[in-house]
Amino acid sequence: MLSSLAVVLVRNPVRATLLLILSFLPTSFVYILLQASFVGILQILVYAGAIMMLFTFVIMMINPAPKGGEDPVMGGGPEHGSNKAGALIGLVGLVVAGFLVIPMVWQAASQVSVAAVSKPDFGSLASLSDLLFKDPANNPMTVSFELISFLILVGIIAALNFSRRKAHGGHGGHGGHAAIAVDSITTRPTKALPVLTRAPSPDRK
Amino acid sequence: MNLFSLPNCLALSLTLVLIGSYGVFRRRSLIMVLLSIEVMLNGVNLSMVSFNFFRWGTIESSHYLYMLSIGVAAVEAAVGLSMIIVLFKNYTDITRERISRLNETGAPAGDGI
């Protein structure tokens, strides 16, 4: 929790990303305590492994040398005077909201009757896959689980399309800027690629 | 008393959501806003899984919902980061103030000739 607080407070974005990975580890321990061991493993593998690596990669790609708080590119947090006062007000508001809301939630959650786990192998991978993939013909979870993969495919296509469209717009609109961005792979014109024309060899049917 | 209980887990997740919302409202860089959104999402997932453990211990629907939400979060992070890259290549500036006046005429210094 302290490291996730530091995520939003620290100025260097690379350091913030690494702190976020650090804050994922106790969260995954909490998941494992909640008998959600597969979720805990997934938290480390997918979140800390893949998504945070994506963040780190992008940060290092667009800003290889962040310089503390003076960097205008990354907008390194509260550096002006008024901004610092605003940050202080926001922090005080956050603490007050926390002191108001958290005891309310705590009290309300204390009233909730706790039903203990009654399943013998709750949270194990076998029972989870039973939940997801048993009777796939009329199980809505199977369908929606496969729809996630379709969503990820759409996301990949969208991300590729963004970078490609920038490449073509760079040639037209921003003349001086295209010279900087031309070293990207996506700026290579597609029609300049060599067309492989191979005569069908006679020994192949 | 038992330290590991539903109120404590909910308080932890609420704290995470509050921290993330502070980051969303305070940080100027879009990357930091995305990171704060990840913190908030983490808190919400934690509350989901803890409710499932303490209240509905017969079926693991929240584990499934967790997988669904991190799938959506991965896609959102990928699309958001590619948008950030495009904006950075166009404007060399990814702060909130720059993005909020996309439509105006005042071109920044690095925006072409």
Side-chain angles (χ1 to χ4, degrees), chain B residues 1-20:
Chain B
M1 68 174 273
N2 193 7
L3 195 62
F4 182 68
S5 61
L6 178 62
N8 288 340
C9 283
L10 284 187
L12 176 61
S13 68
L14 186 64
T15 314
L16 282 178
V17 170
L18 281 176
I19 287 170

Side-chain angles (χ1 to χ4, degrees), chain A residues 31-119:
Chain A
Y31 283 142
I32 292 172
L33 277 178
L34 288 166
Q35 292 196 18
S37 54
F38 181 62
V39 169
I41 293 169
L42 213 64
Q43 169 95 3
I44 293 181
L45 280 186
V46 176
Y47 248 120
I51 300 180
M52 286 306 119
M53 194 45 64
L54 190 68
F55 270 98
T56 315
F57 193 72
V58 168
I59 287 170
M60 292 195 175
M61 190 168 128
I62 70 176
N63 190 17
K67 297 184 290 291
E70 290 105 26
D71 206 339
V73 171
M74 299 310 294
E79 63 259 20
H80 308 305
S82 62
N83 214 346
K84 190 177 290 183
L88 196 63
I89 290 173
L91 197 59
V92 167
L94 175 75
V95 171
V96 167
F99 271 102
L100 280 182
V101 177
I102 288 177
M104 280 170 54
V105 170
W106 205 88
Q107 285 296 325
S110 309
Q111 311 296 324
V112 172
S113 65
V114 171
V117 170
S118 53
K119 207 174 175 183

